[in-house]
Amino acid sequence: MVARERNFRRAAEHLHLSQPAVSAHIRNLETELHQPLFDRATHQVRMTQAGELLLQYAEQILALASEAENALADLHTEPRGRITLGTTTAMVVEVLPAVLHQMQRQFPAISLRINTYTTEGIVERVLSGKIDLGLAYATHMVAGLATEPFFDDHFIPVCSPEHAFAHRERVQPAEINRLPMILLTKETAIGPTLDRRMAELGLHPEPIMELPTSEAVKKMVELDLGIAVVSKMAVMDELATGRLIEIALPELHLVERTVFLYRETKYMTLAIRKFIEVCRQVVPV
């Protein structure tokens, strides 16, 4: 808590202890380890290199203790407990609402805490034990990480009904050169993939804006500000109602696999397994 708050007084308040008690605990720990964990020379408490290293192990210890409690809780017949999930903004908007609705109906004793990060951020937090489970595109897999496939997300080129491509039976890739295009940022899974694909095709559209979510991109396309490549799942309603049109350009049809991420050594609680089951019920693999 001192490491998180960078302040002994605030840490003491969170822990419902006195500030001298917290200071004494830290001093005892430093004496036991024979080295300082915090640099107290400045107004803001800073961690030493030893403190940073110990914090990593402390987080893993706490995560392991939580896993032990969850394993014991699984002795009950009813799935219960708390799941901390790390995922992307796109998943929160496009996939999770229906999943959470079903979870609440089937497993009211399971609570979920959801935070959004980049894919790299999800991987880092899964490995450190800060989150129980990740849900992301399979683009940054590393040692120590286990994955289970979820679904293949199909990305398609779209335009507004007023665009010249809207009712064409076939559009040639070269025709999008120098046309206004609305892109997802490089932090999104599809951003780098789309860049590589367009480079392979020798395409150079005119990027007029880069946005962080498919929701934002599709609104701009609806206004006929440009074409875009977005998740088909994100634009199903717009395609059905004619507010967006899929462009007949198969060269820009892309697929990204989404996966569940967890540490290889992690105990998969009954609550986590039930959550994955519900995800697959709502969005079949």
Side-chain angles (χ1 to χ4, degrees), residues 46-112:
R46 298 183 183 277
M47 301 186 71
T48 63
Q49 185 178 7
E52 294 280 3
L53 181 60
L54 181 60
L55 179 62
Q56 295 177 27
Y57 283 99
E59 288 173 339
Q60 292 178 39
I61 291 166
L62 290 173
L64 190 59
S66 177
E67 287 184 24
E69 291 178 5
N70 290 333
L72 291 170
D74 280 355
L75 295 175
H76 299 288
T77 55
E78 180 187 6
R80 61 177 64 246
R82 182 176 182 176
I83 303 170
T84 54
L85 175 71
T87 189
T88 63
T89 303
M91 294 291 178
V92 170
V93 173
E94 298 160 18
V95 177
L96 289 182
V99 170
L100 297 178
H101 177 69
Q102 191 67 15
M103 283 291 296
Q104 194 172 54
R105 291 179 58 188
Q106 286 187 237
F107 305 109
I110 298 175
S111 65
L112 278 135

Side-chain angles (χ1 to χ4, degrees), residues 52-253:
E52 294 280 3
L53 181 60
L54 181 60
L55 179 62
Q56 295 177 27
Y57 283 99
E59 288 173 339
Q60 292 178 39
I61 291 166
L62 290 173
L64 190 59
S66 177
E67 287 184 24
E69 291 178 5
N70 290 333
L72 291 170
D74 280 355
L75 295 175
H76 299 288
T77 55
E78 180 187 6
R80 61 177 64 246
R82 182 176 182 176
I83 303 170
T84 54
L85 175 71
T87 189
T88 63
T89 303
M91 294 291 178
V92 170
V93 173
E94 298 160 18
V95 177
L96 289 182
V99 170
L100 297 178
H101 177 69
Q102 191 67 15
M103 283 291 296
Q104 194 172 54
R105 291 179 58 188
Q106 286 187 237
F107 305 109
I110 298 175
S111 65
L112 278 135
R113 178 177 178 179
I114 302 170
N115 291 307
T116 60
Y117 311 102
T118 62
T119 301
E120 295 95 327
I122 293 168
V123 168
E124 183 273 322
R125 286 167 175 83
V126 167
L127 288 174
S128 67
K130 293 178 182 176
I131 58 177
D132 298 313
L133 187 69
L135 175 56
Y137 294 104
T139 54
H140 292 82
M141 301 303 103
V142 296
L145 198 66
T147 66
E148 289 187 28
F150 183 16
F151 70 94
D152 287 341
D153 199 358
H154 293 257
F155 288 79
I156 59 171
V158 295
C159 64
S160 78
E162 289 76 33
H163 197 279
F165 290 165
H167 304 292
R168 292 268 301 275
E169 291 186 3
R170 181 72 165 90
V171 173
Q172 297 300 323
E175 292 183 78
I176 75 168
N177 272 328
R178 306 305 171 193
L179 283 183
M181 191 166 192
I182 301 157
L183 302 175
L184 285 160
T185 59
K186 301 299 183 290
E187 289 73 27
T188 60
I190 196 62
T193 303
L194 179 59
D195 284 348
R196 287 193 298 270
R197 184 61 179 142
M198 289 195 295
E200 291 169 359
L201 295 169
L203 303 180
H204 304 283
E206 188 67 33
I208 60 170
M209 63 182 80
E210 291 189 4
L211 300 171
T213 67
S214 294
E215 288 294 309
V217 169
K218 71 183 183 182
K219 294 297 183 186
M220 299 303 170
V221 177
E222 280 189 61
L223 295 172
D224 200 26
L225 297 179
I227 64 173
V229 176
V230 294
S231 166
K232 190 169 186 177
M233 183 178 294
V235 294
M236 292 297 288
D237 289 343
E238 288 79 7
L239 293 174
T241 57
R243 302 201 306 277
L244 288 177
I245 304 295
E246 181 176 351
I247 300 172
L249 182 57
E251 288 84 355
L252 287 186
H253 284 220

Side-chain angles (χ1 to χ4, degrees), residues 5-78:
E5 294 294 329
R6 295 292 199 270
N7 183 284
F8 280 83
R9 178 184 56 79
R10 289 198 299 269
E13 290 173 355
H14 281 291
L15 296 168
H16 305 291
L17 296 171
S18 68
Q19 184 173 333
V22 172
S23 297
H25 278 300
I26 295 295
R27 281 196 304 273
N28 290 339
L29 187 56
E30 289 175 325
T31 298
E32 183 180 340
L33 297 172
H34 306 293
Q35 51 193 321
L37 302 174
F38 295 94
D39 179 2
R40 301 164 176 82
T42 60
H43 291 296
Q44 185 178 21
V45 175
R46 298 183 183 277
M47 301 186 71
T48 63
Q49 185 178 7
E52 294 280 3
L53 181 60
L54 181 60
L55 179 62
Q56 295 177 27
Y57 283 99
E59 288 173 339
Q60 292 178 39
I61 291 166
L62 290 173
L64 190 59
S66 177
E67 287 184 24
E69 291 178 5
N70 290 333
L72 291 170
D74 280 355
L75 295 175
H76 299 288
T77 55
E78 180 187 6

